[in-house]
């Protein structure tokens, strides 16, 4: 394992915090706690456009593509401000975090110009097509297939499942089979950009446990894709996807999903005669948050310095999502000792929502068991 | 961050301690053989003056270097209150005042200067104890009364005590040092368990190839990484404060609790035998958990601190009170 040094957020990154906070405060003013508790599941295209206009999307991307050319710590600051305020970031979230960096790294110049500036303006939304009806954690078994055509284009058939925000996204970047068969596993997989308005694409939202529709099934029936739908090299999809994962697994979004709820609870506890159980539970949560945040900042610094930290990112995600899941469970366990006049329906709705959705925290982006398998291999078990 | 001098000294000490603190030697120290030769070697290296500024004849290391040193002492099972001694000397003699070069243990209990302490980790071979007198410190003579391994109840004799001006939170200091030693020890436990799982075969294959075992050892690795970061937080500022030290002690204790359970589950019966080296770490880790404030004690203090902090956002409380700087 790589040693994680205690790292400070550099002053120039901290300097943008007040501006970000003010902008977010305006955007979330008047939103219910239950709405803010949706964290990065909350969809609001107008808010994403406003963030884009303020230069807060694509912070780390080059100015030539509409980005701000800032460091990873600036993005860390913006992300933790967005999440701890419960800002509705779902619209641009995936494009900002994964699709634009992926296109920058592996895409052609045309692909970058076609998408990254629009992503940075907060106008173009992406989703990621990974899971399928028969492929969940076993991602290498995907069956959705793009057949190469004589003109260099592709014809796509198959289905993606549990795709977050596909009903709102303009494009999907999907991991599909472009050569070989399912038995070839990681070989023969590629990443393709799919315009979701193409003929033959159908998107159906799926109701979730909380009554929202945050994920979808997406079917492809003889969808014609141009030659430049391919991202990177044919057959390199697995390698490219793996490179994305360290970015996706160690950020504040794996730690902060229950923070809005935690802060609401703290406000409710103020001025109330409390038993030790609640105070100690709060103390444990605060300590855990302090350590996880320090780990996430440390990995941010090392990733920016060019280190590959698959194991460290995996362990932060496992610990971080464990923390996220503990918050609502503890609040339910402790119950509400407040007098009737302090009861608050919005708080209860938020608590109910976060508790219902909390299983997803350790599913999305790689399950707990998959992460622990990665950690075990990384420390030398085989 | 570790200073450059700190990194160099840590590298030297890492090698020296690996040679000196062999498992057999650690067993002899645990059984009552005084580690005099090790102590003399450490004195000769100038380790005791690690935090004393260079212009006062010391090494000039930083507080964060002390955290790294304490992790190293935990990793190598140093049988002495060496981190305590370095910290105590920095508190009572920041300018290099003459203090006998003997092991000093920090007694975190409030205002005990005479009588017998509760059991303290690493106190067996201490000759002096640093105690808190409210608005000053005192160094008093210390002698082990009852010992179990390197932990001991010590008898304090204030007859020849010396008073020093200055104040510091000795409970927080002891908590931070125990946290760092625990983090270092847990990292060593992880390495030992990974090694064992690779060598020991059952059902015709190494233990480490079973998913059930892999998943558990992965959790041990997570706890070890979290413990290391938690310990570093305690040594982040210019001085040790109760907020950061409490976070460190609480989190490293929890890591030791969960991590040791896994280490012992994987190593089975031999893991609780005297002959297997895991017990050398297990016993130290348990000693540390029983000292300098329990998980519950610190959880209560951290919880109260959060509730009395005015910030609406827990993020802001963590940023200002419990982060790197």
């Amino acid at each position: 394992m790589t040693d994680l040094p205690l790292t400070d957020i550099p002053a120039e990154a901290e300097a943008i915090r007040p501006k970000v906070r003010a902008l977010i405060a305006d955007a979330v003013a008047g939103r219910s706690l239950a709405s803010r508790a949706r964290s990065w599941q909350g969809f609001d295209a107008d808010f994403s456009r406003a963030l884009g206009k303020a230069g807060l999307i694509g912070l780390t991307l080059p100015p030539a593509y509409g980005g701000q050319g800032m460091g990873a710590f600036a993005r860390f600051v913006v992300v933790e401000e967005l999440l701890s305020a419960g800002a509705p970031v779902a619209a641009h979230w995936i494009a900002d975090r994964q699709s634009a960096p992926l296109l920058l790294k592996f895409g052609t110049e045309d692909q970058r110009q076609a998408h990254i500036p629009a992503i940075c303006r907060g106008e173009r939304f992406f989703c990621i097509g990974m899971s399928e009806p028969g492929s969940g954690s076993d991602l290498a078994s995907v069956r959705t297939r793009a057949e190469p055509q004589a003109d260099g284009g592709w014809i796509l058939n198959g289905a993606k499942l549990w795709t977050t925000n596909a009903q709102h996204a303009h494009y999907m970047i999907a991991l599909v089979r472009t050569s070989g068969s399912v038995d070839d596993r990681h070989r023969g997989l590629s990443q393709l950009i799919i315009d979701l308005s193409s003929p033959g694409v159908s998107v159906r939202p799926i109701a979730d446990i909380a009554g929202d529709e945050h994920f979808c099934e997406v079917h492809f029936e003889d969808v014609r894709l141009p030659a430049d739908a391919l991202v990177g090299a044919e057959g390199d999809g697995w390698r490219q996807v793996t490179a994305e994962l360290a970015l996706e697994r160690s950020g504040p979004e794996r730690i902060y999903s229950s923070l809005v709820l935690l802060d609401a609870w703290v406000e409710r506890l103020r001025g109330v005669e409390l038993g030790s159980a609640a105070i100690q539970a709060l103390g444990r949560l605060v300590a855990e948050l302090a350590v996880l945040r320090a780990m996430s900042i440390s990995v941010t610094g090392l990733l920016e310095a060019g280190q590959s930290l698959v194991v460290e990112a995996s362990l932060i995600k496992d610990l971080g999502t464990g923390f996220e899941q503990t918050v609502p469970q503890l609040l339910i366990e402790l119950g509400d000792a407040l007098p009737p006049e302090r009861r608050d329906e919005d708080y209860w709705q938020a608590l109910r929502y976060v508790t219902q959705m909390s299983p997803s925290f350790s599913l999305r982006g790689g399950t707990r068991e998959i992460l622990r398998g990665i950690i075990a291999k990384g420390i030398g078990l085989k | 961050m570790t200073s450059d001098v700190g990194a160099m000294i840590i590298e030297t000490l890492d090698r020296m301690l690996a040679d000196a603190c062999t498992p057999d030697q650690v067993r002899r120290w645990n059984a009552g053989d005084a580690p005099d030769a090790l102590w003399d070697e450490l004195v000769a290296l100038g380790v005791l003056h690690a935090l004393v500024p260079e212009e006062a004849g010391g090494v000039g290391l930083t507080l964060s270097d002390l955290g790294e040193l304490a992790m190293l002492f935990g990793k190598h099972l140093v049988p002495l209150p060496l981190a305590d001694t370095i910290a105590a000397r920095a508190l009572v003699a920041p300018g290099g005042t003459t203090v006998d070069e003997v092991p000093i243990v920090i007694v975190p209990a409030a205002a005990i200067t005479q009588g017998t302490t509760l059991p303290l980790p690493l106190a067996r071979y201490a000759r002096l104890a640093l105690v808190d007198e409210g608005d000053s410190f005192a160094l008093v003579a210390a002698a082990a009364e009852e010992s179990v391994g390197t932990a001991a109840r010590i008898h304090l004799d204030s007859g020849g005590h010396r008073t020093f001006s200055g104040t510091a939170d000795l409970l927080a200091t002891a908590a931070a040092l125990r946290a760092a030693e625990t983090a270092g020890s847990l990292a060593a436990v992880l390495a030992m368990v990974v090694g064992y799982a690779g060598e020991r075969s059952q059902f015709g294959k190494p233990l480490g190839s079973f998913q059930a075992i892999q998943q558990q050892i992965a959790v041990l690795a997570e706890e070890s990484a979290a413990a290391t970061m938690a310990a570093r937080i305690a040594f982040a500022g210019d001085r040790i404060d109760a907020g950061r030290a409490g976070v460190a002690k609480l989190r490293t204790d929890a890591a030791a609790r969960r991590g040791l359970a896994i280490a012992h589950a994987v190593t089975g019966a031999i893991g609780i035998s005297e002959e297997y080296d895991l017990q050398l770490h297990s016993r130290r880790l348990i000693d540390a958990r029983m000292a300098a404030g329990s998980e519950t004690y610190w959880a209560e203090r951290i919880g109260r601190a959060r509730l009395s902090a005015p910030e609406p956002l827990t993020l802001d409380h963590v940023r200002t009170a419990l982060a790197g700087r």
Side-chain angles (χ1 to χ4, degrees):
Chain A
M1 279 197 296
T2 303
D3 194 47
L4 300 180
L6 190 64
T7 306
D8 291 324
I9 295 179
E12 68 269 20
E14 273 297 339
I16 65 173
R17 193 184 294 276
K19 169 184 156 187
V20 178
R21 187 168 286 193
L23 182 82
I24 296 168
D26 283 349
V28 301
R31 279 179 196 270
S32 68
L33 184 64
S35 148
R36 293 192 295 118
R38 274 161 172 73
S39 178
W40 47 293
Q41 306 275 33
F43 181 93
D44 184 337
D46 292 339
F47 177 67
S48 291
R49 264 190 296 274
L51 272 190
K53 196 168 266 177
L56 295 174
I57 302 178
L59 278 165
T60 60
L61 302 172
Y65 301 107
Q68 302 294 318
M70 298 177 86
F73 287 112
R75 183 165 189 283
F76 186 97
V77 168
V78 171
V79 168
E80 73 173 0
E81 286 297 320
L82 288 166
L83 297 179
S84 70
V89 294
H92 69 273
W93 192 251
I94 300 289
D96 178 49
R97 182 182 71 185
Q98 274 167 275
S99 311
L102 179 83
L103 292 174
L104 186 68
K105 194 164 178 190
F106 299 110
T108 63
E109 186 56 29
D110 284 349
Q111 286 171 335
R112 294 170 178 177
Q113 293 292 357
H115 296 291
I116 300 178
I119 289 173
C120 292
R121 289 195 301 272
E123 292 171 357
R124 186 158 306 167
F125 310 143
F126 275 71
C127 59
I128 302 235
M130 297 274 200
S131 294
E132 296 186 0
S135 304
S137 284
D138 181 12
L139 193 55
S141 69
V142 295
R143 288 168 185 275
T144 297
R145 190 171 187 101
E147 291 289 348
Q149 303 300 299
D151 64 356
W154 309 84
I155 289 186
L156 180 69
N157 279 286
K160 291 290 175 183
L161 191 59
W162 316 125
T163 310
T164 298
N165 271 329
Q167 76 272 43
H168 301 301
H170 305 109
Y171 290 86
M172 173 191 285
I173 294 182
L175 183 70
V176 305
R177 182 155 294 287
T178 46
S179 59
S181 70
V182 170
D183 294 337
D184 289 312
R185 303 285 298 164
H186 308 96
R187 289 185 300 276
L189 299 178
S190 304
Q191 286 183 293
L192 294 179
I193 307 174
I194 302 158
D195 181 344
L196 293 176
S197 65
S198 309
V201 177
S202 56
V203 179
R204 191 180 70 84
I206 303 167
D208 67 32
I209 185 171
D212 293 346
E213 291 178 339
H214 81 275
F215 47 30
C216 298
E217 57 177 285
V218 184
H219 289 267
F220 307 107
E221 204 180 328
D222 291 328
V223 178
R224 300 195 68 89
L225 300 176
D228 72 354
L230 180 68
V231 181
E234 194 279 322
D236 257 4
W238 187 262
R239 189 177 64 84
Q240 293 172 196
V241 164
T242 312
E244 269 179 79
L245 291 177
L247 295 177
E248 193 203 338
R249 285 182 174 157
S250 61
E253 67 267 36
R254 304 306 180 180
I255 304 170
Y256 289 16
S257 297
S258 302
L259 227 47
V260 167
L261 182 64
L262 178 67
D263 286 337
W265 183 57
V266 170
E267 287 309 312
R268 288 170 68 72
L269 295 182
R270 287 190 197 273
V272 175
E273 196 71 27
L274 290 170
S276 281
I279 297 167
Q280 289 164 11
L282 176 61
R284 285 179 184 274
L285 293 174
V286 170
E288 189 70 14
L289 177 64
V291 174
L292 288 167
R293 178 172 184 267
M295 294 174 86
S296 182
I297 292 171
S298 181
V299 166
T300 299
L302 296 176
L303 285 174
E304 180 155 74
Q307 291 201 37
S308 164
L309 296 169
V310 176
V311 172
E312 292 71 18
S314 299
L315 67 84
I316 290 175
K317 179 172 183 286
D318 192 19
L319 288 168
T321 55
F323 166 76
E324 293 180 330
Q325 290 171 334
T326 302
V327 172
Q329 299 298 354
L330 264 178
L331 301 199
I332 288 183
E333 256 181 76
L334 289 163
D336 198 346
L338 297 185
E341 66 274 15
R342 296 271 308 268
R343 302 253 163 88
D344 175 352
E345 188 53 31
D346 197 18
Y347 171 78
W348 284 104
Q349 293 214 10
L351 176 53
R352 226 179 267 120
Y353 171 81
V354 177
T355 313
Q356 288 168 354
M357 286 309 291
S358 62
S360 74
F361 302 163
S362 57
L363 300 176
R364 57 194 185 188
T367 65
R368 172 156 289 141
E369 290 70 23
I370 290 288
L371 296 175
R372 290 181 181 175
I374 292 170
I375 296 164
K377 283 195 177 57
I379 58 176
L381 300 171
K382 47 187 182 284
Chain B
M1 287 293 271
T2 321
S3 66
D4 290 346
V5 190
M8 221 167 62
I9 288 171
I10 284 161
E11 211 186 301
T12 309
L13 270 179
D14 195 17
R15 274 191 309 246
M16 178 249 169
L17 292 173
D19 290 343
C21 304
T22 61
D24 286 347
Q25 188 60 62
V26 172
R27 281 184 174 80
R28 285 194 284 275
W29 292 326
N30 283 349
D33 283 358
D36 295 334
L38 173 66
W39 180 256
D40 292 344
E41 206 176 339
L42 291 163
V43 170
L45 278 171
V47 178
L48 269 48
H49 310 288
L51 294 189
V52 175
E54 280 177 281
E55 52 274 23
V59 187
L61 297 192
T62 62
L63 188 59
S64 64
D65 293 331
L66 174 61
E68 302 301 314
L69 284 177
M71 280 190 227
L72 203 59
F73 303 156
K75 171 185 169 187
H76 291 296
L77 296 161
V78 171
L80 291 151
L82 183 55
D84 286 39
T85 306
I86 296 169
R89 296 184 74 92
L91 289 174
V92 302
T97 316
T98 317
V99 172
D100 288 350
E101 292 185 323
V102 297
I104 304 171
V105 67
I106 291 175
V107 179
I112 296 180
T113 53
Q114 178 77 33
T116 302
T117 65
L118 294 170
L120 291 172
L122 304 170
R124 182 173 196 164
Y125 301 112
R127 300 262 304 280
L128 288 174
L130 181 71
V131 297
D132 195 343
E133 294 194 309
D135 46 10
S136 60
F137 304 113
L139 279 179
V140 302
E145 276 195 345
E146 284 168 49
S147 302
V148 179
T150 50
R153 287 180 194 277
I154 48 171
H155 181 74
L156 304 179
D157 181 359
S158 61
H161 90 295
R162 281 176 72 184
T163 304
F164 300 85
S165 62
T167 56
D169 185 337
L170 292 189
L171 177 60
T173 305
L177 296 175
R178 298 297 82 78
E181 288 158 358
T182 292
S185 179
L186 258 189
V189 166
L190 173 63
M192 197 180 287
V193 169
V194 169
Y196 181 84
E199 287 157 15
R200 167 80 172 163
S201 277
Q202 284 290 277
F203 305 101
K205 54 182 189 172
L207 283 187
S209 66
F210 290 92
Q211 274 195 349
I213 304 290
Q214 290 182 353
Q215 297 265 311
Q216 290 200 61
I217 298 177
V219 173
L220 170 57
E222 292 174 4
E223 292 298 316
S224 171
T228 301
M229 185 54 83
R232 287 185 170 142
I233 288 173
F235 296 87
D238 297 331
R239 54 188 289 147
I240 291 171
D241 68 70
R244 290 186 176 89
V247 164
K249 183 64 164 59
L250 165 54
R251 189 61 185 88
T252 54
D253 276 0
R257 169 166 53 81
R258 297 176 194 134
L260 259 193
I262 293 167
H264 280 289
V266 172
T267 52
I270 199 170
I272 51 166
S273 71
E274 199 284 330
E275 71 163 298
Y276 193 68
D277 295 340
L278 177 60
Q279 57 94 355
L280 301 175
H281 284 283
S282 305
R283 291 167 63 182
R284 293 283 183 88
L285 288 166
I286 294 165
D287 287 349
R289 284 185 61 203
M290 291 169 72
S294 66
E295 285 180 62
T296 300
Y297 171 82
W298 287 114
E300 177 107 12
R301 282 190 63 170
I302 296 162
R304 287 195 186 282
R306 171 67 192 102
L307 283 173
S308 56
E311 294 94 350
L313 298 182
T314 303
L315 170 64
D316 285 343
H317 179 63
V318 167
R319 282 176 51 224
T320 52
L322 304 173
R325 295 289 181 275

